[in-house]
Amino acid sequence: MREETFDMKKIGIISLFDFRNMNYGNKLQTYALNYYLRHHYPKYNVESLYFRNFLDSKDKNLCMLFISKILRIPAKINSIICIKFFLKDRLRICNDFAVKNIQICGQALTWNDLVNSDYDAFIVGSDIVWGQYRYGISKIKFLDFENKKKFKRIAYAASFGRDWIPKENINDIIRCLRKFQHIAVREESSKYMLGSIGITNVEHTLDPTLLLDAEEWKSVEKEPKLNIGKYIFVYLLGKNNMDRKFITYFANKLHLTIVTVPYACGEFSFADYCFGDVRIKDCSPEEWIWLIDHAEYVITDSFHGIVFSTIFKKKFISLERQFAENINNRMIDYLKTIRQTDKMINIANIKFAEKFEWNYDVIDKCLEKKKHLSKKYLDNALKDI
């Protein structure tokens, strides 16, 4: 139980964090921003917020969309079965990490709680907090409310997850973002997209996981209780069986063990059922970091899989995820930032990966420049709270 400090200014971080999500990138980006703010701005009381349920967004159109998704019974059953029988321990382990390492608000909140709250500032980000469907934005994620005291609106590395905004939402987005004192997005493309609708006071910042250096992440990681030897770490959210077949060929050619975390998307998939030499079903966030840090290669279709690969200076291969252009977009955007776009490949070209060059002098120089700008942005955004 942390000690309450009533004389300190309060900052609430709003991301996609909750206790139903077992995505490693989600948990670790929440940890990173929370940790960075608490350690670099100790005069503020910083906590990550989480919300009661989807219906608390006060968006009728989004509520109806949520209900319609529930009615897609097969996909829903698949997810429930996977969590209940295959991944219940992973969810518990991920939540244990969050409770232990992230300063979190005392209870699940609603939109009404925000209206009646006493926070001095809200920081929205990171992750795809501004992802949306037609006819409705999230009133929570766009801070579409006023409360009993004046508060500062800040976005840090917020992502839309795509290169376009549904035309039905543009006016609401303009109205909400014009109330923000500081806006920073995670994808460079989002900066230009917002500029096209008249929101020009936008900066491009790094994902919060990149605010921490490799040594800070090494202090978090934990070695799994396995005797693996030299290995390729494979972390795939996509369900394409052909990807697994080509990766198996590549690993056999290099005489490396395949270590994988199955069912990364949170649903059962036959593509993952027998794939890999070592399958770590109950992998913790700390072990996930260790597996990337100590791999010979990392093969992934995950944004944060690529990010942590660059943090630990690994040989990484980014796979295109079929029928997921929005996901591919944010990976491509990051690869452009570090000048490594050739590392995103179609799986059929993995046979050429041995000849790739990972120039970490170039990558580090790109990241150091962006990291400096990202930290400077936070200094400026938080100085007058």
Side-chain angles (χ1 to χ4, degrees):
M1 181 70 68
R2 63 184 174 82
E3 183 180 351
E4 294 290 344
T5 50
F6 295 103
D7 57 331
M8 299 173 72
K9 297 285 188 179
K10 291 179 62 177
I11 298 176
I13 302 173
I14 297 177
S15 66
L16 297 183
F17 170 80
D18 63 36
F19 289 104
R20 296 158 292 182
N21 192 322
M22 66 184 79
N23 180 279
Y24 298 107
N26 174 278
K27 290 291 187 290
L28 293 172
Q29 67 85 21
T30 302
Y31 165 81
L33 186 56
N34 189 288
Y35 174 92
Y36 182 84
L37 294 179
R38 287 189 291 111
H39 285 75
H40 289 267
Y41 307 95
K43 66 179 181 178
Y44 298 130
N45 183 10
V46 178
E47 54 188 21
S48 294
L49 312 184
Y50 69 104
F51 297 90
R52 194 167 297 171
N53 58 48
F54 194 96
L55 299 179
D56 286 323
S57 68
K58 300 298 179 183
D59 262 309
K60 292 182 179 179
N61 290 312
L62 288 178
C63 291
M64 290 305 296
L65 177 65
F66 178 72
I67 292 169
S68 71
K69 283 181 174 291
I70 289 178
L71 295 178
R72 292 174 58 189
I73 301 300
K76 191 70 178 177
I77 289 176
N78 186 8
S79 180
I80 291 171
I81 290 173
C82 195
I83 292 172
K84 185 172 182 179
F85 295 103
F86 291 93
L87 301 181
K88 61 178 181 178
D89 288 335
R90 187 188 301 177
L91 180 60
R92 175 184 55 78
I93 290 168
C94 285
N95 287 338
D96 286 346
F97 168 83
V99 171
K100 178 182 176 182
N101 295 286
I102 303 172
Q103 188 161 292
I104 306 169
C105 62
Q107 62 182 15
L109 305 177
T110 67
W111 184 85
N112 283 330
D113 291 327
L114 296 182
V115 172
N116 296 300
S117 70
D118 61 350
Y119 287 95
D120 298 280
F122 291 100
I123 299 179
V124 180
S126 176
D127 225 336
I128 310 180
V129 286
W130 287 344
Q132 58 197 273
Y133 298 92
R134 296 175 62 189
Y135 302 107
I137 65 172
S138 166
K139 290 182 175 292
I140 290 175
K141 304 302 192 302
F142 281 92
L143 304 183
D144 191 11
F145 59 88
E146 303 293 338
N147 65 17
K148 60 185 179 182
K149 67 185 295 186
K150 187 176 181 181
F151 63 89
K152 198 167 188 180
R153 291 173 165 87
I154 301 167
Y156 180 81
S159 175
F160 285 88
R162 57 177 65 176
D163 282 336
W164 57 277
I165 298 172
K167 62 181 181 181
E168 297 85 358
N169 299 345
I170 289 177
N171 288 336
D172 280 336
I173 288 173
I174 292 172
R175 174 178 58 80
C176 291
L177 292 188
R178 281 180 175 168
K179 295 180 181 180
F180 277 66
Q181 285 77 30
H182 301 275
I183 303 173
V185 291
R186 192 176 66 184
E187 282 79 46
E188 187 84 34
S189 56
S190 295
K191 178 178 178 179
Y192 299 116
M193 181 176 68
L194 288 175
S196 71
I197 61 173
I199 305 297
T200 56
N201 59 326
V202 181
E203 296 190 39
H204 175 223
T205 54
L206 292 174
D207 186 86
T209 53
L210 289 157
L211 295 174
L212 279 57
D213 60 30
E215 291 306 312
E216 288 174 297
W217 283 116
K218 285 177 184 289
S219 70
V220 176
E221 70 181 33
K222 177 182 177 182
E223 181 177 359
K225 295 179 180 180
L226 297 168
N227 185 16
I228 302 173
K230 292 187 176 182
Y231 64 93
I232 295 175
F233 180 55
V234 180
Y235 183 69
L236 298 178
L237 295 160
K239 303 175 184 178
N240 188 339
N241 192 51
M242 191 59 65
D243 288 352
R244 276 79 172 168
K245 290 182 178 180
F246 274 101
I247 291 169
T248 301
Y249 167 81
F250 182 70
N252 289 339
K253 183 180 178 183
L254 298 179
H255 306 289
L256 295 172
T257 299
I258 295 176
V259 178
T260 185
V261 177
Y263 319 124
C265 64
E267 293 183 357
F268 177 81
S269 168
F270 282 107
D272 274 340
Y273 189 68
C274 293
F275 171 67
D277 303 301
V278 178
R279 296 183 288 278
I280 308 179
K281 186 176 63 177
D282 301 329
C283 185
S284 69
E286 299 97 323
E287 291 170 331
W288 189 83
I289 298 171
W290 189 95
L291 288 167
I292 292 178
D293 185 15
H294 293 81
E296 299 296 314
Y297 281 85
V298 176
I299 301 177
T300 185
D301 60 6
S302 155
F303 172 82
H304 283 104
I306 299 172
V307 168
F308 276 92
S309 296
T310 55
I311 289 173
F312 293 122
K313 304 186 189 321
K314 310 310 295 185
K315 296 178 180 179
F316 68 90
I317 300 166
S318 173
L319 298 186
E320 296 175 354
R321 204 184 308 174
Q322 288 189 339
F323 313 115
E325 62 276 4
N326 295 336
I327 301 299
N328 292 335
N329 169 65
R330 57 195 174 113
M331 292 193 293
I332 291 171
D333 200 288
Y334 178 66
L335 292 173
K336 284 181 179 178
T337 298
I338 61 174
R339 301 182 186 177
Q340 299 293 310
T341 53
D342 62 316
K343 304 309 183 298
M344 173 165 268
I345 64 170
N346 181 286
I347 188 60
N349 293 323
I350 196 171
K351 57 189 175 182
F352 302 116
E354 284 184 271
K355 299 179 181 179
F356 287 170
E357 292 185 4
W358 292 264
N359 188 334
Y360 272 98
D361 288 337
V362 172
I363 294 171
D364 288 347
K365 187 176 293 186
C366 294
L367 287 177
E368 282 305 314
K369 181 179 179 181
K370 276 294 182 182
K371 187 181 292 188
H372 173 75
L373 294 173
S374 298
K375 292 180 176 181
K376 185 177 179 180
Y377 168 83
L378 285 171
D379 285 341
N380 187 47
L382 297 174
K383 65 182 180 182
D384 295 325
I385 294 177

Short mmCIF file of all heavy atoms in Angstrom, two decimals, residues 17 61 75 112 132 138 140 147 153 161 178 189 201 217 219 246 267-268 295 312 333 369 376:
data_model
loop_
_atom_site.label_atom_id
_atom_site.label_comp_id
_atom_site.label_asym_id
_atom_site.label_seq_id
_atom_site.Cartn_x
_atom_site.Cartn_y
_atom_site.Cartn_z
N PHE A 17 -4.37 0.35 -20.53
CA PHE A 17 -4.10 -0.55 -19.42
C PHE A 17 -5.40 -0.96 -18.71
O PHE A 17 -6.24 -0.13 -18.42
CB PHE A 17 -3.17 0.13 -18.42
CG PHE A 17 -3.03 -0.64 -17.13
CD1 PHE A 17 -2.18 -1.73 -17.06
CD2 PHE A 17 -3.76 -0.28 -16.01
CE1 PHE A 17 -2.05 -2.44 -15.87
CE2 PHE A 17 -3.64 -0.98 -14.83
CZ PHE A 17 -2.79 -2.06 -14.76
N ASN A 61 -22.77 5.19 -29.52
CA ASN A 61 -22.42 4.46 -30.74
C ASN A 61 -21.37 3.40 -30.47
O ASN A 61 -21.43 2.29 -31.00
CB ASN A 61 -21.91 5.46 -31.79
CG ASN A 61 -23.00 6.35 -32.31
OD1 ASN A 61 -24.08 5.89 -32.67
ND2 ASN A 61 -22.75 7.65 -32.34
N ALA A 75 -16.04 -16.13 -32.14
CA ALA A 75 -14.81 -15.45 -31.75
C ALA A 75 -14.79 -15.22 -30.24
O ALA A 75 -13.76 -15.36 -29.59
CB ALA A 75 -14.68 -14.12 -32.49
N ASN A 112 -17.82 9.26 -15.24
CA ASN A 112 -18.33 10.16 -14.19
C ASN A 112 -17.29 10.41 -13.10
O ASN A 112 -17.22 11.49 -12.52
CB ASN A 112 -19.60 9.57 -13.55
CG ASN A 112 -20.82 9.76 -14.44
OD1 ASN A 112 -20.89 10.72 -15.21
ND2 ASN A 112 -21.76 8.84 -14.36
N GLN A 132 -10.18 4.08 -33.25
CA GLN A 132 -11.60 4.40 -33.26
C GLN A 132 -12.34 3.71 -34.41
O GLN A 132 -11.71 3.19 -35.33
CB GLN A 132 -11.79 5.91 -33.38
CG GLN A 132 -11.13 6.48 -34.64
CD GLN A 132 -10.94 7.97 -34.56
OE1 GLN A 132 -11.84 8.72 -34.90
NE2 GLN A 132 -9.76 8.39 -34.10
N SER A 138 -13.85 7.92 -28.16
CA SER A 138 -13.88 7.66 -26.73
C SER A 138 -13.77 8.97 -25.97
O SER A 138 -12.78 9.70 -26.10
CB SER A 138 -12.72 6.75 -26.33
OG SER A 138 -12.56 6.75 -24.93
N ILE A 140 -13.34 9.30 -22.89
CA ILE A 140 -12.28 9.19 -21.89
C ILE A 140 -10.93 9.44 -22.52
O ILE A 140 -10.14 10.28 -22.05
CB ILE A 140 -12.31 7.80 -21.22
CG1 ILE A 140 -13.54 7.67 -20.32
CG2 ILE A 140 -11.04 7.56 -20.41
CD1 ILE A 140 -13.73 6.29 -19.72
N ASN A 147 -14.02 18.93 -15.20
CA ASN A 147 -14.27 18.51 -13.83
C ASN A 147 -14.25 19.69 -12.88
O ASN A 147 -14.22 20.85 -13.32
CB ASN A 147 -13.32 17.40 -13.39
CG ASN A 147 -11.87 17.84 -13.32
OD1 ASN A 147 -11.58 19.03 -13.29
ND2 ASN A 147 -10.95 16.90 -13.30
N ARG A 153 -4.35 19.13 -20.10
CA ARG A 153 -4.51 18.02 -21.03
C ARG A 153 -3.22 17.81 -21.81
O ARG A 153 -2.75 18.71 -22.52
CB ARG A 153 -5.65 18.30 -22.01
CG ARG A 153 -7.04 18.30 -21.38
CD ARG A 153 -8.07 18.76 -22.41
NE ARG A 153 -9.43 18.48 -22.01
CZ ARG A 153 -10.18 19.28 -21.26
NH1 ARG A 153 -9.66 20.43 -20.80
NH2 ARG A 153 -11.42 18.96 -20.96
N GLY A 161 -3.20 4.22 -34.64
CA GLY A 161 -3.12 2.88 -35.18
C GLY A 161 -3.38 2.79 -36.67
O GLY A 161 -3.43 1.71 -37.24
N ARG A 178 -8.25 20.51 -29.63
CA ARG A 178 -7.98 21.93 -29.47
C ARG A 178 -7.95 22.36 -28.00
O ARG A 178 -7.46 23.44 -27.67
CB ARG A 178 -9.00 22.76 -30.25
CG ARG A 178 -8.67 22.81 -31.75
CD ARG A 178 -9.67 23.62 -32.54
NE ARG A 178 -9.23 23.72 -33.94
CZ ARG A 178 -9.99 24.17 -34.93
NH1 ARG A 178 -11.24 24.56 -34.68
NH2 ARG A 178 -9.51 24.24 -36.16
N SER A 189 3.47 9.63 -39.05
CA SER A 189 2.35 9.78 -39.98
C SER A 189 1.14 10.42 -39.31
O SER A 189 0.37 11.14 -39.95
CB SER A 189 1.96 8.41 -40.56
OG SER A 189 1.66 7.49 -39.53
N ASN A 201 -0.21 21.83 -33.66
CA ASN A 201 0.69 21.88 -32.50
C ASN A 201 1.00 20.47 -31.99
O ASN A 201 0.76 20.11 -30.85
CB ASN A 201 0.06 22.72 -31.37
CG ASN A 201 -1.28 22.18 -30.92
OD1 ASN A 201 -2.06 21.64 -31.71
ND2 ASN A 201 -1.58 22.31 -29.63
N TRP A 217 16.00 -1.81 -18.16
CA TRP A 217 15.16 -2.98 -18.47
C TRP A 217 15.80 -4.27 -17.98
O TRP A 217 15.09 -5.20 -17.56
CB TRP A 217 14.89 -3.04 -19.97
CG TRP A 217 13.86 -2.05 -20.43
CD1 TRP A 217 14.04 -1.00 -21.29
CD2 TRP A 217 12.49 -2.02 -20.05
NE1 TRP A 217 12.87 -0.31 -21.46
CE2 TRP A 217 11.89 -0.92 -20.70
CE3 TRP A 217 11.70 -2.79 -19.20
CZ2 TRP A 217 10.55 -0.58 -20.55
CZ3 TRP A 217 10.35 -2.46 -19.04
CH2 TRP A 217 9.80 -1.37 -19.71
N SER A 219 17.29 -4.63 -15.27
CA SER A 219 16.98 -4.73 -13.85
C SER A 219 15.58 -5.28 -13.61
O SER A 219 15.25 -5.69 -12.49
CB SER A 219 17.12 -3.36 -13.19
OG SER A 219 16.09 -2.47 -13.61
N PHE A 246 8.04 -21.40 -42.46
CA PHE A 246 9.26 -20.76 -42.95
C PHE A 246 10.24 -20.48 -41.81
O PHE A 246 11.46 -20.61 -41.98
CB PHE A 246 8.91 -19.45 -43.66
CG PHE A 246 8.55 -19.62 -45.11
CD1 PHE A 246 7.23 -19.62 -45.52
CD2 PHE A 246 9.54 -19.78 -46.07
CE1 PHE A 246 6.88 -19.78 -46.86
CE2 PHE A 246 9.22 -19.94 -47.41
CZ PHE A 246 7.88 -19.94 -47.81
N GLU A 267 -6.15 -15.57 -28.14
CA GLU A 267 -7.12 -16.55 -28.62
C GLU A 267 -6.39 -17.83 -29.01
O GLU A 267 -5.22 -17.81 -29.40
CB GLU A 267 -7.90 -16.01 -29.83
CG GLU A 267 -8.81 -14.84 -29.51
CD GLU A 267 -9.60 -14.40 -30.73
OE1 GLU A 267 -9.39 -14.99 -31.82
OE2 GLU A 267 -10.42 -13.48 -30.61
N PHE A 268 -7.10 -18.94 -28.92
CA PHE A 268 -6.52 -20.22 -29.34
C PHE A 268 -6.29 -20.22 -30.84
O PHE A 268 -7.09 -19.70 -31.61
CB PHE A 268 -7.44 -21.38 -28.96
CG PHE A 268 -6.92 -22.71 -29.44
CD1 PHE A 268 -5.94 -23.38 -28.72
CD2 PHE A 268 -7.39 -23.27 -30.62
CE1 PHE A 268 -5.44 -24.60 -29.17
CE2 PHE A 268 -6.89 -24.49 -31.07
CZ PHE A 268 -5.92 -25.15 -30.34
N ALA A 295 18.31 -13.62 -26.92
CA ALA A 295 18.10 -14.37 -28.17
C ALA A 295 19.20 -14.08 -29.19
O ALA A 295 19.81 -13.00 -29.19
CB ALA A 295 16.74 -14.00 -28.76
N PHE A 312 17.83 -3.87 -26.95
CA PHE A 312 18.89 -4.82 -26.59
C PHE A 312 19.83 -5.12 -27.75
O PHE A 312 20.65 -6.05 -27.68
CB PHE A 312 18.26 -6.12 -26.08
CG PHE A 312 17.54 -5.96 -24.77
CD1 PHE A 312 16.20 -6.28 -24.66
CD2 PHE A 312 18.22 -5.50 -23.65
CE1 PHE A 312 15.54 -6.13 -23.44
CE2 PHE A 312 17.56 -5.35 -22.44
CZ PHE A 312 16.22 -5.67 -22.33
N ASP A 333 6.37 2.62 -39.45
CA ASP A 333 6.67 3.97 -38.99
C ASP A 333 7.89 3.96 -38.06
O ASP A 333 8.79 4.80 -38.18
CB ASP A 333 5.45 4.56 -38.27
CG ASP A 333 5.49 6.07 -38.20
OD1 ASP A 333 6.31 6.61 -37.43
OD2 ASP A 333 4.71 6.71 -38.91
N LYS A 369 18.62 10.88 -30.62
CA LYS A 369 18.08 12.18 -31.02
C LYS A 369 16.60 12.27 -30.66
O LYS A 369 16.14 13.27 -30.07
CB LYS A 369 18.27 12.38 -32.52
CG LYS A 369 17.75 13.72 -33.03
CD LYS A 369 18.00 13.87 -34.53
CE LYS A 369 17.45 15.20 -35.04
NZ LYS A 369 17.67 15.34 -36.51
N LYS A 376 12.55 16.19 -23.61
CA LYS A 376 12.37 17.65 -23.60
C LYS A 376 10.89 18.01 -23.69
O LYS A 376 10.42 18.95 -23.03
CB LYS A 376 13.14 18.27 -24.77
CG LYS A 376 13.14 19.78 -24.80
CD LYS A 376 13.99 20.30 -25.95
CE LYS A 376 13.96 21.84 -26.00
NZ LYS A 376 14.78 22.35 -27.13
#
